[in-house]
Amino acid sequence: MKIGIIALSLNKHAVPGFYNSQELGMGKALAAAGHTVTVYKLFSRALLPVSKTEQVREGLTFTQLPARSLGINGFFDKKLLDASIDVLICFSDTQLYTQSVAKWCLLNSVRFYPYVGVLRSASTNALKRKLMDMLTMRLIRFYRRQSAVWGKTPAVCAELSSLGITRSRLVPIGLDQELLRGNYADADPAALREAHGFSADTQILLFIGRLVAEKEPLTMIALFAKLYERYPKLRLCMIGTGELETDVRSAVAAAGISNAVCLIPRVPNKEIWEFYRMSRYYVNLNRHEIYGMAILEAMYYECPVIAFHAPGPDFLLDNGRCGYLCGSDEEMLSALSDAVLADFGSPVSESGISTVCDSSSSENGISTDSGSSEAESAHTIADAARARVLSSFLWERCLPELGDINVSQ
C-alpha cells in the first residue's frame, strides 16, 4: 500500500534532526511492515523556499514542504502531494487546512484518516483561544462525517465521543526505536555530567521543550529559583528555543541563578540520550500537554518524570504509576522539593542551619523519610516507566491499532 503521512501544524523554529518526529517514526514502522511511505513535513518558507525530498531508505521518502502559517496553522501547495497514494494519515488536531486537504483526498480517491491529539486551543491569549475554538466547531462537524477518526489519548477519544464523533479509536503515538540509544545504561551519569560541564556529584533537573507560553519555561525558572535557595548544589538544564528565550534569560539573570542554569538551544537526536541519563528528574510543566514525546524518551531512559496532570502525562504515566503527577504549582514545588531533599538531605536555611521536613511523604508519592526510600521509589518508578514504553509505546507496538490499514504487506 502507498501511504502518505502529514502533520499540518507548523513550528517556525523546527530544524530537521533536532526533534523526535512523530510522523517520521510512524513512517519508518510502516515502511518496515512492507508499505511504500512518503512523510511530509511543513517548514516555514523563510527556512525552506522550495520543497526538498530525500530517500530515507527503501520504501520511505521524506519530503519537506514550504508553507505559510497563521499561528501554528500551516498552509501549503497541495499539488506537491503525491496523488498516487492510497491513504493519507493527517495529524490534524484543530488545523484550519484539514478540510482542504481532505477535499484533495476525495478528488484523488485517497482515503483520509485524521489523527487528533487535541480539540481545543491551548493559547494563553483568551481572544485567540475563543476565536480558534469557534473555528474548530466547523472541524468537529467535519469529523462527525468521517468514517474513522484516530485519537492519540483516551482523553481525546472520550472528548470526540462526547461531541458526537462516534467512529473514533485510540491509536497511541510511539517512539522511533532507531533514534533510541540501546546501551545507554553503560554510560556513567557522573562522567556525562562532567563531560557537559557540570560537577560529577550534582543533581540536575531537566526541562526540554519550546520556550513558549504553554510550556511554561518562566514557571520552571521561578520554581527552580525557590529550590536553589535551599539546595545550592542543584542545577537546571533547559533545552529549547522559542519566543520566550529572551524572557527566560532575563528571568535567570534577575533571580541571580545564572551559575546554576544551563540554557541549550538545541541538541541533536543522537545526543539527547546523554541528558536524560545524567539528569535526576525530567520536568514537564505543560498543563495542556497533548502527548509528550520527551516524556516517553525520559521514561525509556529511566529518568523519572514529574509533570502536571494533562491528557498526555495522565495516559503515558499511567495516572502516576510510571511517574509523578501534580495538580498545581504548589504540588509541583512540593514534589520537586521532596525529590531534591532525598538527594541532598535537609535544606540549608538563610541562617545556615539545616531544616527538616515534618512529613515523610508527599501526595505525589515521593517519600522524604530518607534518601534510600526515595531512591527505591524513584527506581521502581523508572523501571515501570521503561517497561511501559517497551510494551506499549514503540511504533512497532502501536501499528496494530491502525485498524483497517493492513500493516503487513
Side-chain angles (χ1 to χ4, degrees):
M1 184 182 296
K2 293 185 69 174
I3 300 175
I5 305 172
I6 189 167
L8 298 182
S9 61
L10 192 152
N11 173 9
K12 295 179 182 179
H13 301 282
V15 177
F18 289 88
Y19 54 88
N20 194 326
S21 169
Q22 297 178 4
E23 56 273 23
L24 189 55
M26 174 189 263
K28 289 178 182 178
L30 285 169
H35 298 282
T36 300
V37 183
T38 299
V39 175
Y40 298 97
K41 186 73 176 178
L42 306 188
F43 290 91
S44 168
R45 284 182 172 177
L47 296 174
L48 184 78
V50 296
S51 64
K52 179 181 178 182
T53 297
E54 63 176 294
Q55 190 75 29
V56 178
R57 65 187 55 163
E58 184 178 356
L60 179 61
T61 301
F62 181 51
T63 298
Q64 301 172 48
L65 302 178
R68 296 175 290 107
S69 66
L70 176 63
I72 63 170
N73 293 272
F75 303 87
F76 64 97
D77 184 356
K78 296 187 293 296
K79 294 178 182 178
L80 296 173
L81 298 175
D82 179 3
S84 70
I85 59 176
D86 302 300
V87 168
L88 183 65
I89 299 170
C90 181
F91 288 63
S92 55
D93 293 341
T94 60
Q95 292 293 307
L96 299 177
Y97 210 43
T98 300
Q99 292 181 73
S100 180
V101 173
K103 183 177 180 181
W104 176 90
C105 287
L106 183 64
L107 293 173
N108 289 279
S109 301
V110 175
R111 280 188 285 161
F112 179 76
Y113 288 88
Y115 200 179
V116 180
V118 66
L119 289 166
R120 305 291 178 189
S121 171
S123 173
T124 55
N125 183 300
L127 183 59
K128 287 183 180 179
R129 188 169 61 250
K130 183 176 181 179
L131 176 60
M132 283 305 303
D133 286 345
M134 289 173 60
L135 292 172
T136 300
M137 290 308 300
R138 293 179 61 250
L139 190 56
I140 289 171
R141 290 193 290 271
F142 164 77
Y143 285 150
R144 287 175 185 149
R145 300 193 299 269
Q146 300 309 297
S147 59
V149 179
W150 298 345
K152 295 181 181 179
T153 63
V156 78
C157 286
E159 188 173 6
L160 286 166
S161 180
S162 71
L163 292 169
I165 303 165
T166 57
R167 291 181 289 273
S168 64
R169 63 180 299 136
L170 175 63
V171 179
I173 294 288
L175 283 178
D176 180 354
Q177 196 164 4
E178 184 179 296
L179 299 179
L180 301 173
R181 180 83 171 199
N183 63 343
Y184 70 93
D186 294 341
D188 177 30
L192 288 174
R193 286 192 284 270
E194 287 188 317
H196 287 282
F198 297 93
S199 297
D201 62 347
T202 194
Q203 297 292 354
I204 299 171
L205 298 181
L206 180 63
F207 177 102
I208 299 177
R210 290 179 296 122
L211 302 185
V212 296
E214 69 186 68
K215 302 291 186 180
E216 302 208 34
L218 296 175
T219 301
M220 184 72 253
I221 298 299
L223 289 170
F224 179 77
K226 293 177 181 178
L227 291 168
Y228 182 69
E229 287 181 2
R230 298 197 289 167
Y231 308 102
K233 291 184 67 176
L234 186 64
R235 297 293 180 265
L236 171 64
C237 181
M238 300 184 73
I239 301 173
T241 61
E243 60 196 36
L244 293 181
E245 185 172 350
T246 299
D247 293 336
V248 167
R249 293 186 181 278
S250 297
V252 169
I257 54 176
S258 297
N259 64 318
V261 178
C262 177
L263 300 174
I264 303 175
R266 295 183 179 90
V267 174
N269 273 330
K270 63 181 180 180
E271 299 174 13
I272 195 68
W273 69 272
E274 297 181 5
F275 291 86
Y276 292 114
R277 178 64 175 158
M278 72 185 195
S279 298
R280 189 67 181 87
Y281 291 94
Y282 168 72
V283 184
N284 185 297
L285 299 181
N286 188 348
R287 299 166 208 261
H288 306 282
E289 184 66 76
I290 298 170
Y291 207 75
M293 298 306 288
I295 291 177
L296 277 181
E297 289 175 340
M299 293 168 67
Y300 177 86
Y301 291 118
E302 300 178 86
C303 180
V305 177
I306 303 177
F308 280 125
H309 281 287
D314 285 351
F315 177 41
L316 301 180
L317 300 178
D318 198 15
N319 291 313
R321 283 180 281 272
C322 296
Y324 306 107
L325 291 166
C326 306
S328 65
D329 286 2
E330 292 73 22
E331 283 188 22
M332 178 62 71
L333 181 60
S334 175
L336 290 169
S337 183
D338 289 349
V340 174
L341 171 61
D343 288 326
F344 288 126
S346 300
V348 178
S349 69
E350 292 181 358
S351 64
I353 300 174
S354 294
T355 60
V356 180
C357 180
D358 291 333
S359 63
S360 62
S361 64
S362 75
E363 294 180 359
N364 308 286
I366 302 179
S367 171
T368 61
D369 185 51
S370 68
S372 60
S373 60
E374 192 284 326
E376 291 174 4
S377 173
H379 184 72
T380 300
I381 285 283
D383 283 349
R386 177 172 165 79
R388 182 161 167 77
V389 170
L390 293 177
S391 66
S392 303
F393 296 111
L394 299 176
W395 266 120
E396 290 75 8
R397 302 287 188 182
C398 299
L399 286 189
E401 304 304 325
L402 300 187
D404 57 350
I405 289 184
N406 179 15
V407 299
S408 181
Q409 295 292 293

